[in-house]
């Protein structure tokens, strides 16, 4: 026993000595960097990056010290993660040293970069130190000092100057139905007092929570008013009481928020909405977050059916039923997934979306009654659209169109913390980019003139996707990609530490804490470095975001509801076109109706057998106006209930029948080439995987030169050959470093290539 105790004490002593040595080394490097900052500043070098890095280093050294004194706390959290559990004790013991080493590596990089700038071996564009109190929302951009900017902050980050000076200074306010403390509409005094005392603040948003309801509500509105309590909307949105409570709440608080800087990023109507209402009787299980509905919902459904079908005979013919009237209609909810593809399934899934959209339209109306300039958004998980399921009640198109700001919580998986399944993307890509790119392209197609606010960004970590020694280049790749695809502002998941480095109460039992960015100084710092670079080149990034989308993929909500794997099929075509330097978009019935079809040149329809008559009519109108449609033989065959449809006719337009992804891709690109819509920059890629992995976009800067942005999302190194049509002699200038670079680079996974292409 004494011997064991001796070794434990010895081990702790060695760790302590090593920790002190690593901390001393890091502090020495901080002093060196500070001296270099002063020297560079005198030479007119922008030193925002170095000042940010120094702050990141100081903060994470403090966190390392806390972690060194609280091994047990971290061990318990590592044990919650399946892939960390076996090594939880060692990981917790090693964590302080890991953090200090990461800080040291981060400082080494900063010192090398600033020396290079001082010696004029590299050059740097200035980047604004953004004052969040002076940022405004203008159409599709955030503006600071008459320039576009991109902003990021973190969920739960303490609002101390130490952290808000360089890592985001987002403001806001939290409201929830339980604040309506009395039936007469009286609001919780403490919350109203806080709101009354709140100054104009800095740019922020209003978080509308729906987890709790007032104690008096169930007595007044019935015992079933609270429902779906395992989701973020824990009450019945179809109960009239829901509207009564929200009317009282919003009437009391919105006038006090109107026009304030802290509400200019909008009123977030809901956190991660989902209203799954299906079951799987064959497997004898209720799927995740799924449940039933109230009699209020069923009654609304009956009204919806009467409006859609007009006569009960029409409904009976479609459903193959014999109801006497619409009041007699019966349906089992949760609906069994075996009915997918049937008329009953289609009507329920469609209604579920309509009733949810109607609820958020009501909330928007109540807000704008008291704040005419208010913008609303929803924190929608894009995978509810990019994945195949459609019985969750979320109509991404309708809700994006309804919103004044594109809202989402886009994510990207990289390393799974549990499960042995090999996902298809892991065979070819360094990270899963489907939700990010495809989701953003769709939302930007619906609402091209709005900012995109990712209010819970999950690129760095999720509960299931984490890696302690995550490559900082991954952080840069995902943030760069997201901003080039339309993201304007983000609240990153997450910052679950108090100002002294201790674990915040919200995260003390959190499965997502261990191995997250809050233990990764280099990753956290790289996010800040990337935002600085994006803001240095904000005009070019905004040009990329605003690129015309000449090639559109047709999205039918009808096929998405009826088909089992519709979005997988649509992604096949989207994926094949993603690596060709073309800005992709989508069209739907409503996009064709609401937007000028001169915004695109060709529409591709792929494996979309089910469309409503109105969807088909919209495509026909586009053709009658002279449009071009590429369509395969499996598309546009049946209406939502499986009845045969008449075929499209060319009108003044062109119909091209092709059946394979490769042929559709080849023809679409040839049409763009004929119309001189392809970039004059050509990027040829070779890699060991055999399928392309570099996503690239080209715009022209104010000098008229081409600016090329490339992100390697592939799993292998990619060798590129950059050329300019009609000119064999080009020079590529690294925009971030301000120096000439190769036009035949090899990019490692996650690596970015951002250059200005100059003619010799």
């Amino acid at each position: 026993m004494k011997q064991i105790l001796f070794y434990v004490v010895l081990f702790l002593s060695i760790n302590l000595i090593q920790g002190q040595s690593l901390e001393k080394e890091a502090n020495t490097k901080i002093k060196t960097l500070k001296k270099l900052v002063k020297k560079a500043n005198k030479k007119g070098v922008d030193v925002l990056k170095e000042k940010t890095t120094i702050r990141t280093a100081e903060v994470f050294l403090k966190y390392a010290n806390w972690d060194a004194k609280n091994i047990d706390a971290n061990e318990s959290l590592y044990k919650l993660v399946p892939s960390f559990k076996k090594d939880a004790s060692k990981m917790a013991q090693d964590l302080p040293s890991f953090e200090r080493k990461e800080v040291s590596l981060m400082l080494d990089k900063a010192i090398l970069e600033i020396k290079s700038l001082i010696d004029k071996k590299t050059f740097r564009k200035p980047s604004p130190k953004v004052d969040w109190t002076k940022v405004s929302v203008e159409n599709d951009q955030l503006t600071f000092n008459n320039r576009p900017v991109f902003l990021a902050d973190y969920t739960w980050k303490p609002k101390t100057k130490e952290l808000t000076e360089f890592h985001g200074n987002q403001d806001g306010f939290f409201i929830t139905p339980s604040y309506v403390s009395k039936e007469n509409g009286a609001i919780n005094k403490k919350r109203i007092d806080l709101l009354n005392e709140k100054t104009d603040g800095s740019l922020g948003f209003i978080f509308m929570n729906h987890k709790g309801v007032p104690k008096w509500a169930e007595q007044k509105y019935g015992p079933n008013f609270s429902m779906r309590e395992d989701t973020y909307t824990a009450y019945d949105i179809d109960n009239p009481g829901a509207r009564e409570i929200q009317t009282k709440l919003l009437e009391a608080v919105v006038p006090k928020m109107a026009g304030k800087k802290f509400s200019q990023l909008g009123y977030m109507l809901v956190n991660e909405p989902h209203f799954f209402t299906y079951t799987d009787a064959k497997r004898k299980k209720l799927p995740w977050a799924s449940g039933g509905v109230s009699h209020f919902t069923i009654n609304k459904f009956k009204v919806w059916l009467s409006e859609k079908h007009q006569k009960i005979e029409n409904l009976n013919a479609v459903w193959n039923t014999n109801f006497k009237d619409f009041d007699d209609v019966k349906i089992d909810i949760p609906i069994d997934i075996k009915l997918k593809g049937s008329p009953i399934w289609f009507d329920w899934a469609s209604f579920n979306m309509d009733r949810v959209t109607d609820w958020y339209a009501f909330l928007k109306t109540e807000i704008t009654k008291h704040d005419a300039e208010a913008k609303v958004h929803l924190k929608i998980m894009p995978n509810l659209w990019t994945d195949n399921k459609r019985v969750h009640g979320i109509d991404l198109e309708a809700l994006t169109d309804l919103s004044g700001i594109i809202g989402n919580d886009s994510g990207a998986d990289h390393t799974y913390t549990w499960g042995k399944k090999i996902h298809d993307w892991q065979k070819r890509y360094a990270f899963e980019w489907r939700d990010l790119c495809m989701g953003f392209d769709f939302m930007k197609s619906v609402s091209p003139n709005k900012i995109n606010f990712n209010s819970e960004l999950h690129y760095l970590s999720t509960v299931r996707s984490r890696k302690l020694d995550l490559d900082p280049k991954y952080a840069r790749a995902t943030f760069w990609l997201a901003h080039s695809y339309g993201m304007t502002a983000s609240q990153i998941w997450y910052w679950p530490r108090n100002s002294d480095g201790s674990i915040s109460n919200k995260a003390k039992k959190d499965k997502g804490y261990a191995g997250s960015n809050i233990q990764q100084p280099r990753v956290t710092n790289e996010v800040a470095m990337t935002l600085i670079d994006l803001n240095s080149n904000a005009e070019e990034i905004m040009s990329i975001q605003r690129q015309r989308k000449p090639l559109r993929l047709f999205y039918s909500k009808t096929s998405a509801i009826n088909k089992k794997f519709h979005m997988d099929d649509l992604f096949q075509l989207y994926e094949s076109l993603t690596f060709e330097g073309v800005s992709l978009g989508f069209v739907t019935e409503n996009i064709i109706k609401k937007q000028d079809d001169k915004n695109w040149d060709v529409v591709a329809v792929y494996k979309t057998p089910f469309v409503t008559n109105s969807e088909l009519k919209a495509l026909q109108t586009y053709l009658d106006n002279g449009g071009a449609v590429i369509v395969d033989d499996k598309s546009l065959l049946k209406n939502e209930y499986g009845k045969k449809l008449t075929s499209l006719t060319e009108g003044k337009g062109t119909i091209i029948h092709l059946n394979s992804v490769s042929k559709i891709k080849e023809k679409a690109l040839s049409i763009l080439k004929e119309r001189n819509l392809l970039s004059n920059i050509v990027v040829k890629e070779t890699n060991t995987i055999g399928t392309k992995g570099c996503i690239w976009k080209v715009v022209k800067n104010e000098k008229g030169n081409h600016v090329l942005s490339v992100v390697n999302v592939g799993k292998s190194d990619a060798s590129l050959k950059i050329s300019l049509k009609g000119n064999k002699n080009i020079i590529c200038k690294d925009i971030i470093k301000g120096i000439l670079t190769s036009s035949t680079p090899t990019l490692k996974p996650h690596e970015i290539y951002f250059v200005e292409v100059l003619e010799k």
Side-chain angles (χ1 to χ4, degrees), residues 702-720:
E702 60 181 7
K703 294 181 289 186
N705 296 326
H706 291 94
V707 171
L708 169 65
S709 172
V710 185
V711 181
N712 184 9
V713 304
K715 197 172 182 179
S716 69
D717 290 1
S719 297
L720 304 182

Side-chain angles (χ1 to χ4, degrees), residues 584-604:
L584 296 175
F586 292 85
V587 291
T588 64
E589 172 192 343
N590 285 327
I591 289 175
I592 292 172
K593 286 178 178 177
K594 292 181 178 183
Q595 297 182 26
D596 186 346
D597 59 19
K598 298 294 187 293
N599 289 333
W600 56 87
D601 292 83
V602 59
V603 172

Side-chain angles (χ1 to χ4, degrees), residues 179-311:
Y179 287 178
V180 185
S181 56
K182 294 183 180 179
E183 190 177 331
N184 65 4
I187 306 297
N188 180 290
K189 186 176 182 304
K190 287 184 179 178
R191 300 301 169 183
I192 283 291
D193 287 346
L194 277 174
L195 192 52
N196 286 332
E197 292 166 7
K198 193 164 177 59
T199 62
D200 194 46
S202 60
L203 195 72
F205 73 103
I206 309 306
F207 191 117
M208 292 179 63
N209 178 57
H210 299 273
K211 280 292 287 181
V213 297
K215 291 180 180 178
W216 54 267
E218 287 210 19
Q219 189 170 4
K220 181 175 182 182
Y221 304 128
N224 295 322
F225 180 59
S226 291
M227 63 185 306
R228 294 173 41 84
E229 293 180 77
D230 59 338
T231 72
Y232 291 112
T233 301
Y235 58 89
D236 180 13
I237 62 172
D238 293 320
N239 188 310
R243 298 197 176 209
E244 286 185 22
I245 291 174
Q246 287 294 345
T247 298
K248 291 170 181 175
L249 175 63
L250 297 172
E251 181 181 37
V253 300
V254 171
K256 299 177 185 297
M257 300 169 173
K260 299 290 180 66
K261 187 63 73 174
F262 68 79
S263 67
Q264 296 305 291
L265 267 179
Y267 295 76
M268 190 187 80
L269 300 181
V270 64
N271 177 51
E272 296 182 358
H274 49 274
F275 296 82
F276 285 100
T277 51
Y278 77 105
T279 188
D280 190 343
K282 188 176 180 181
R283 295 186 179 183
K284 297 180 181 179
K285 62 183 285 190
L286 197 63
W288 172 79
S290 197
V293 296
S294 69
H295 68 279
F296 294 107
T297 306
I298 296 299
N299 289 339
K300 278 189 175 183
F301 183 45
K302 292 175 180 179
V303 172
W304 185 92
L305 289 172
S306 69
E307 291 172 350
K308 179 171 173 59
H309 294 279
Q310 299 294 307
K311 296 179 180 179

Side-chain angles (χ1 to χ4, degrees), residues 32 49 78 97 123 148 231 300 309 379 416 508 510 550 555 610 666 673 709 713 734:
T32 299
K49 280 189 171 182
Y78 276 115
S97 291
F123 304 88
T231 72
K300 278 189 175 183
H309 294 279
K379 191 197 290 182
Y416 291 120
K508 283 185 175 176
D510 188 357
Y555 168 69
F610 300 97
E666 182 182 359
K673 184 178 180 180
S709 172
V713 304
D734 186 317

Side-chain angles (χ1 to χ4, degrees), residues 744-756:
T744 57
T746 296
L747 304 187
K748 295 185 179 301
H750 305 141
E751 199 163 348
I752 288 170
Y753 181 74
F754 185 52
V755 297
E756 183 180 20

Side-chain angles (χ1 to χ4, degrees), residues 65-79:
N65 287 335
W66 188 90
D67 290 334
K69 296 172 184 175
N70 294 273
I71 303 293
D72 291 346
N74 278 312
E75 182 179 347
S76 66
L77 288 166
Y78 276 115
K79 284 180 178 178

